[in-house]
Amino acid sequence: MILIKLGGSVITNKRRALSPRRKAIDDIVKNLKKIDEPLTIVHGGGSYGHYWSVRYDMHTKERRYDPRGVSIVKNSMIELNKIILDSMVKNGLFPYCLPPTDFMTGNRTIAKKVKEIQKIAKSGMIPVTYGDALWYGQNKTYILSGDKIMTHLAKTLRPKLTIFALDEDGLYSDLKSRRLIEELKGERPPISDGNRMDVTGGMARKVEEATKIAKTGLRVFFVNGNKPERIVKAVKKKTFQGTLFKVN
Ligand code: IPE
């Protein structure tokens, strides 16, 4: 099993509201088709979910948010999700759409449902889920990021490789020189991040989730989603052009 997160900044243009990057999506999908192993896809919100979450002041914390905001965030994620699903079918892949409500209750996963994802992936279909606004209970909702979903799913699915496709080559040790960190062994790199359009914490959150996943003994790989052939190379040839979180 390969678990892959398509970051919102790759599949949408984060600088412009509600703008999908259709070519980038198609390119990723075409490359994923070259992988003959069970796959599970998670995608982010980018200029869809994040855009509306910011507009309605919604965050990852469970609160009584504006119900109109909750509806609009959820609708926008369906719209983005549909673009990805359509691209997959067009390119000969068979997505099995799973809104996170299918396997989450409150802020916990439904173990039986996550195990089902494993089976769906092995059947030749590709489970596809995404970050979303979710019901928590007591009239509260929260934003569940795709990155958090990665950690939830990785625990049960135990993928051979957990990939985060980003709009960058990987993690940089220094943003000015853009020196790429090629390998990390357990340590948590210092990350500063100031992306205001992002309610779920941008790169810092990704690193946090990736470190959690790596600590459970799984390989995590940050790769440039605009160079999707690197995803194929990592899976097929085990050549990692990006940042690899190595198992200790
Ligand atoms: C965000 O998911 C979901 C919503 C804001 C509804 P992510 O936090 O995983 O999205 P990206 O990848 O950073 O855009």
Side-chain angles (χ1 to χ4, degrees):
M1 160 79 73
I2 307 293
L3 178 62
I4 179 162
K5 155 102 194 275
L6 309 181
S9 43
V10 183
I11 56 173
T12 72
N13 178 354
K14 270 202 159 178
R15 282 171 294 279
R16 247 186 55 209
L18 311 177
S19 49
R21 292 180 64 202
R22 290 180 195 271
K23 166 101 171 48
I25 295 171
D26 283 344
D27 283 350
I28 291 174
V29 166
K30 281 178 195 155
N31 276 280
L32 293 182
K33 194 166 162 56
K34 297 178 191 159
I35 296 173
D36 353 279
E37 301 198 36
L39 268 179
T40 295
I41 298 178
V42 177
H43 70 79
S47 69
Y48 284 76
H50 276 298
Y51 171 77
W52 291 115
S53 306
V54 170
R55 286 277 294 258
Y56 283 91
D57 197 24
M58 295 165 64
H59 309 275
T60 52
K61 196 153 180 49
E62 305 92 11
R63 284 214 185 114
R64 296 190 178 203
Y65 294 111
D66 183 347
R68 188 181 162 83
V70 177
S71 299
I72 290 180
V73 167
K74 287 185 88 66
N75 289 1
S76 75
M77 287 311 297
I78 294 232
E79 214 176 301
L80 177 58
N81 182 235
K82 182 67 163 49
I83 294 171
I84 291 163
L85 301 174
D86 286 343
S87 166
M88 290 176 74
V89 173
K90 188 177 75 189
N91 290 293
L93 289 176
F94 311 123
Y96 185 91
C97 165
L98 284 166
T101 45
D102 194 87
F103 56 87
M104 295 290 301
T105 173
N107 58 2
R108 302 167 60 113
T109 53
I110 306 164
K112 211 174 141 187
K113 281 291 190 175
V114 179
K115 282 183 193 135
E116 220 169 77
I117 294 179
Q118 185 91 271
K119 292 193 182 132
I120 297 167
K122 284 187 180 157
S123 83
M125 285 190 286
I126 303 177
V128 180
T129 189
Y130 49 85
D132 201 1
L134 286 194
W135 175 257
Y136 180 68
Q138 296 174 324
N139 293 349
K140 292 179 182 173
T141 55
Y142 70 105
I143 300 289
L144 173 66
S145 73
D147 298 329
K148 267 249 152 30
I149 296 181
M150 290 294 279
T151 307
H152 286 320
L153 296 185
K155 263 187 205 153
T156 307
L157 303 181
R158 305 290 304 161
K160 230 196 257 177
L161 188 60
T162 302
I163 302 173
F164 288 79
L166 321 166
D167 194 30
E168 308 277 352
D169 282 338
L171 279 183
Y172 304 115
S173 56
D174 170 26
L175 273 182
K176 263 200 202 121
S177 65
R178 293 172 80 82
R179 257 189 59 180
L180 191 69
I181 304 173
E182 288 178 9
E183 235 178 72
L184 281 163
K185 267 192 186 148
E187 74 269 36
R188 200 174 179 290
I191 283 286
S192 65
D193 200 359
N195 189 345
R196 256 187 256 124
M197 199 180 171
D198 204 320
V199 296
T200 56
M203 192 61 102
R205 182 62 59 92
K206 268 178 232 313
V207 171
E208 194 184 313
E209 298 306 327
T211 311
K212 272 192 222 164
I213 297 169
K215 275 190 181 153
T216 71
L218 295 168
R219 282 189 149 195
V220 183
F221 180 47
F222 280 14
V223 66
N224 193 335
N226 303 301
K227 307 262 157 64
E229 65 282 355
R230 292 182 187 174
I231 299 173
V232 183
K233 264 196 212 157
V235 175
K236 289 198 160 179
K237 303 209 173 99
K238 299 201 168 56
T239 9
F240 298 98
Q241 254 177 296
T243 302
L244 183 65
F245 292 65
K246 276 209 154 167
V247 181
N248 295 322

